[in-house]
Amino acid sequence: MHHRLRNRFPGLAALLLAAVPCLAADDPHAHHRQMIQPGYTRSVQDYRAPDLKLIRDDGVSVAVPSLLNTARPVVVRFIYTSCTAICPLLTATIAQARKNLGPDAERVRIVSVTIDPDYDTPARLRDYARQFQAGGEWRFFTGDRATIVAMQKAFNSYRGDKNDHAPLTLVRPAGQSRWVRLEGFTSAEVLATEIKRKPGV
């Protein structure tokens, strides 16, 4: 099931671009600004939690199946802390969506996985998490490079190079086995709605 939704959020493009600092011409992330456009594509996909272990931002090793195979709503995003465009916007959207959810936010497990494990140590991820007031069921994860690549491939998000990554959010609402794949930029309101979606809706 696919829904192509474009230009749905008036003024969002200006807000997104205003949130991104001016980048030098030789900045490897400069091309990301061309990808920061409002709107997204929605599809529903079957993904299985891979048999991997990730390192949480407090240094604890966590099995991915135990992390994802839960009755809670789950959100997965791939980010990296030195990203200057896409990742801060995606992460800020999660932070706002949590506020929109109110007390229900504590039920939502949010898994932010770095795609730059060589740089993003647990300590760097903790610092990054604090910038967005993450905590509780929202945690950040790293691992060795092979594990991070395998994690991305399990969700059809591996693009070979961190500088080529695209905005992607994966949501599995409570009581559902399939994942909602949101490619592009959603509003916090849309993300909160997807998280709260009931089975069969």
Side-chain angles (χ1 to χ4, degrees):
M1 179 168 60
H2 297 267
H3 301 284
R4 184 165 296 276
L5 305 172
R6 296 291 176 190
N7 301 320
R8 180 169 175 175
F9 315 120
L12 181 58
L15 290 173
L16 292 174
L17 291 171
V20 182
C22 293
L23 305 177
D26 59 350
D27 190 315
H29 314 298
H31 68 289
H32 284 172
R33 284 186 294 175
Q34 299 174 3
M35 301 174 66
I36 300 175
Q37 299 294 330
Y40 61 95
T41 299
R42 180 185 189 275
S43 62
V44 178
Q45 306 289 339
D46 288 310
Y47 296 123
R48 176 177 291 184
D51 187 16
L52 303 168
K53 287 188 176 181
L54 296 172
I55 307 299
R56 201 167 57 199
D57 50 29
D58 59 0
V60 174
S61 177
V62 181
V64 173
S66 67
L67 187 64
L68 300 186
N69 295 339
T70 172
R72 296 172 179 268
V74 180
V75 177
V76 173
R77 269 189 170 160
F78 295 98
I79 57 92
Y80 62 104
T81 65
S82 61
C83 174
T84 56
I86 290 174
C87 303
L89 293 173
L90 292 176
T91 309
T93 302
I94 286 183
Q96 184 58 52
R98 291 179 87 215
K99 292 180 181 178
N100 293 355
L101 289 167
D104 290 339
E106 290 306 315
R107 295 187 57 250
V108 182
R109 178 162 293 168
I110 303 172
V111 178
S112 294
V113 182
T114 181
I115 60 172
D116 187 10
D118 296 331
Y119 181 80
D120 284 338
T121 61
R124 284 198 171 99
L125 291 174
R126 284 197 304 273
D127 289 342
Y128 192 77
R130 280 193 287 267
Q131 295 178 41
F132 296 94
Q133 300 180 322
E137 287 293 322
W138 183 8
R139 304 300 292 264
F140 287 70
F141 295 83
T142 188
D144 61 53
R145 179 157 293 281
T147 296
I148 294 301
V149 169
M151 183 70 178
Q152 292 176 80
K153 288 183 175 180
F155 289 94
N156 192 26
S157 68
Y158 182 65
R159 299 184 63 165
D161 186 279
K162 67 181 182 181
N163 293 324
D164 290 329
H165 81 121
L168 172 66
T169 308
L170 300 154
V171 180
R172 198 195 65 226
Q176 301 196 38
S177 60
R178 305 183 76 194
W179 292 79
V180 176
R181 182 183 177 96
L182 305 171
E183 298 185 69
F185 290 97
T186 71
S187 68
E189 291 77 15
V190 166
L191 180 55
T193 296
E194 291 290 355
I195 290 169
K196 295 186 294 183
R197 190 178 293 276
K198 302 297 183 183
V201 177

